[in-house]
Amino acid sequence: MNNLDLVVLITTILGIAIYGMWQTRKRQDLHDYLRGTNHAPWYAIGLSVMATQASAITFLSTPGQGYLGGLSFVQVYFGVPIALIIIAVFFLPIFHKLNVYTAYEFLEKRFDGKTRLLGAALFMLQRGLGAGLTIYAPAIVLTTVCGWPLNVTIISSGLLVILYTVMGGSDAVTVTQKYQIMIIFAGMITAACLLVGKLPHDLDFGDTLKLAGGFQKLNAVSFSPSIHQRYTLWSGLLGGTFLMLSYFGTDQSQVQRYISGSSLRESRLGLLFNAICKIPMQFCILFIGVLMFVFYQFNQPPLFFDAAANNYMQEHKTEANFAAYQADFSAARGQVRQNLEKWIAARHQGDQAAANVAFTAAATAQMSSEAVRAAAIKEVSEKRSDAKANDADYVFITFILRELPHGVIGLLMAAFFAAALSSKAAELNALGTCSTIDFYRPLLKKDASDEQSLFATKCFTALWGFLAIGFALFCNLSENLIQAVNILGSIFYGVMLALFLVGFFLRQVGGTAIFWSALAAQTLVFILYSKLTISYLWFPLIGCAACVIFSLLLQLILSSRSNLRKST
Amino acid sequence: MKNTEPVEAIDENKTGLPWPSSWKGAYIFVLASFILWIILLVALTRYGS
């Protein structure tokens, strides 16, 4: 990064934050602070919902997923359209009718106070942990890019988001998200255009698809019935629907976004906008990863993309093993490139037999290079614990830094930062609101005035921000970042969803039955998560089904006991 | 503390868009575009394999 990049990055990020603070400087009313001034049109709601879900991890790690695993990750989002339609039809009218600040207020109205507290506690537990991850991801990027100390990056980005979220509340989040998502789109579209321009000129679109497909990178849909395979059509449709239904329907960071619409209609349209756009958006981000894969078939990729592993390799490049790995890897990559150039020439001449021979040779060389990489990764991992060679998170940033011009690098850094701040702000806003509305007012200070509640919300928002910074400082992940966030959500979301589904649809179940059933189901999910190796997408479904079944059984027992007492 | 603003007087049964104007139409449109995406992704998978 040079000075131009730094100017682009700092101007963009600070400019949006200052604009958000200035626009919302007069928010001194509790309702306006928590729900906004209710003037947001549907497209602002839609962009806000989109920006809340799409964190820096989405834009940083997803292209890496596309590079390494192809398009299969898109199946996670197959549940989004179905889930958002269900929320628009059933959840949203109830939230609007009850005029709630948090989704968990509904649980008290339908069941009792303890069930509301349980729902809010589950949200705060998982979102509080997840909040650390969303601040950790861009910090890794900037640490890699600028060589800044990781802790300084985490603290400075954390403090900025705390500042404007605490000052402006819900409207500050919505106002800044609108501009942050524009920067994100501008950055990603620019990167994609430049990437296409860097592909070999004799490679047409059909060749690109054939090449990517030949290396199994276009595997967008899998019909495999195996529950151990992480991403399939079935896990996406069933598990993904439950995961997304839980996330959009019961996670306060999302609920707070769409209930801030000026009317039920605007909120609904905002959700449907996401229902249509989410899959194409994720597909495009993954496809950037696939295009990077094609690009690196004709250009020498690094042995590792992971910064820590790469640094370790650079420090020890004189060692015999690493020098041999690098030489073998370069030789294999050279063969891949040569054979693919022969393949393109044969394809364009219509010589299918020669094309097949060349592609087979390229695939064999590709397998050799991957074997060398695997051996090198194993050796680095054994020698150094912090160099795990988790490449997916570093593929895109490596490409940006090596291949894109200055200015664009700054724009993309600003896009990552904007994505991190937008989701982080929504999380902090939701956590602060939930802490005040669901805990402070009902438990700590029942007669709190609006001024006291407003002050408490600001304090809680700041407190959650500092906790997230603390968590990020001690974060050390073995999972790919985007998967870590989804896994964390999948453990808690099933039970949270069940609380609402039972509340909406099973009138016979009371507060005591659902409360104990939710605790039992959450315990079951914890146990199953530690014992089973199935895809994490199934856990929301399991947690939800277990909670619903337990609540029905427990209600049956409680009702029969009650009847017995009455009869005696 | 609760919002005392009157509930909006606009017709909530309509989307307010030129097309689709009804919510049922909007849901069908979302589902149709979803199915179309699945078909395109399956076709892409088949093309690549």
Side-chain angles (χ1 to χ4, degrees), chain A residues 148-363:
Chain A
W148 298 344
L150 183 64
N151 293 353
V152 173
T153 319
I154 287 171
I155 291 167
S156 57
S157 58
L159 288 180
L160 181 66
V161 72
I162 289 171
L163 186 68
Y164 76 77
T165 310
V166 167
M167 282 183 72
S170 185
D171 266 353
V173 178
T174 308
V175 167
T176 49
Q177 280 181 330
K178 204 164 53 184
Y179 296 100
Q180 284 162 338
I181 200 90
M182 286 178 191
I183 294 295
I184 294 165
F185 285 150
M188 296 304 281
I189 291 168
T190 307
C193 292
L194 291 173
L195 173 56
V196 169
K198 282 181 171 291
L199 294 176
H201 295 301
D202 51 349
L203 190 77
D204 61 30
F205 187 63
D207 295 334
T208 306
L209 290 185
K210 269 289 169 203
L211 195 161
F215 288 107
Q216 279 78 51
K217 301 297 176 189
L218 298 183
N219 50 346
V221 183
S222 165
F223 292 95
S224 166
S226 169
I227 57 168
H228 297 287
Q229 191 172 326
R230 209 167 234 190
Y231 307 120
T232 66
L233 178 71
W234 318 117
S235 70
L237 280 178
L238 270 172
T241 299
F242 274 82
L243 178 63
M244 298 306 168
L245 197 53
S246 318
Y247 172 62
F248 286 104
T250 73
D251 190 306
Q252 178 63 17
S253 65
Q254 280 294 358
V255 175
Q256 196 158 358
R257 297 296 97 221
Y258 59 74
I259 61 172
S260 68
S262 58
S263 66
L264 175 61
R265 189 177 75 187
E266 301 299 319
S267 299
R268 241 184 206 157
L269 285 174
L271 284 180
L272 295 186
F273 168 76
N274 276 275
I276 292 173
C277 294
K278 190 65 189 171
I279 293 175
M281 186 182 113
Q282 290 300 140
F283 170 80
C284 290
I285 299 171
L286 281 166
F287 200 71
I288 288 176
V290 173
L291 289 178
M292 276 195 298
F293 175 83
V294 174
F295 169 81
Y296 277 122
Q297 301 316 300
F298 299 94
N299 297 272
Q300 177 74 27
L303 185 51
F304 306 115
F305 286 97
D306 182 292
N310 224 4
N311 290 342
Y312 184 81
M313 182 84 173
Q314 289 302 316
E315 287 164 13
H316 298 81
K317 61 184 175 188
T318 50
E319 287 180 17
N321 273 3
F322 288 133
Y325 284 136
Q326 188 64 62
D328 291 349
F329 184 70
S330 298
R333 297 308 313 176
Q335 284 179 10
V336 172
R337 188 171 56 246
Q338 282 172 9
N339 284 305
L340 285 177
E341 282 164 358
K342 285 181 193 166
W343 171 73
I344 295 172
R347 238 174 95 81
H348 289 189
Q349 287 163 8
D351 187 349
Q352 196 54 46
N356 287 344
V357 170
F359 199 89
T360 307

Side-chain angles (χ1 to χ4, degrees), chain A residues 360-417:
Chain A
T360 307
T364 309
Q366 160 78 6
M367 282 170 64
S368 307
S369 74
E370 286 306 310
V372 174
R373 244 167 58 82
I377 287 170
K378 192 177 171 210
E379 186 152 344
V380 169
S381 302
E382 282 170 2
K383 289 188 173 173
R384 196 174 157 174
S385 60
D386 68 333
K388 295 188 178 83
N390 191 359
D391 276 350
D393 298 332
Y394 289 90
V395 171
F396 193 36
I397 189 66
T398 305
F399 171 80
I400 290 167
L401 292 176
R402 285 182 165 207
E403 307 295 338
L404 299 188
H406 289 293
V408 176
I409 294 178
L411 176 66
L412 278 154
M413 291 302 120
F416 292 144
F417 227 111

Side-chain angles (χ1 to χ4, degrees), chain A residues 30 101 105 213 220 265 441, chain B residues 1-3 12 14 45 48:
Chain A
L30 182 64
Y101 288 101
E105 285 179 83
R265 189 177 75 187
R441 287 178 74 112
Chain B
M1 184 189 71
K2 289 288 178 188
N3 182 15
E12 298 288 11
K14 300 281 182 187
T45 307

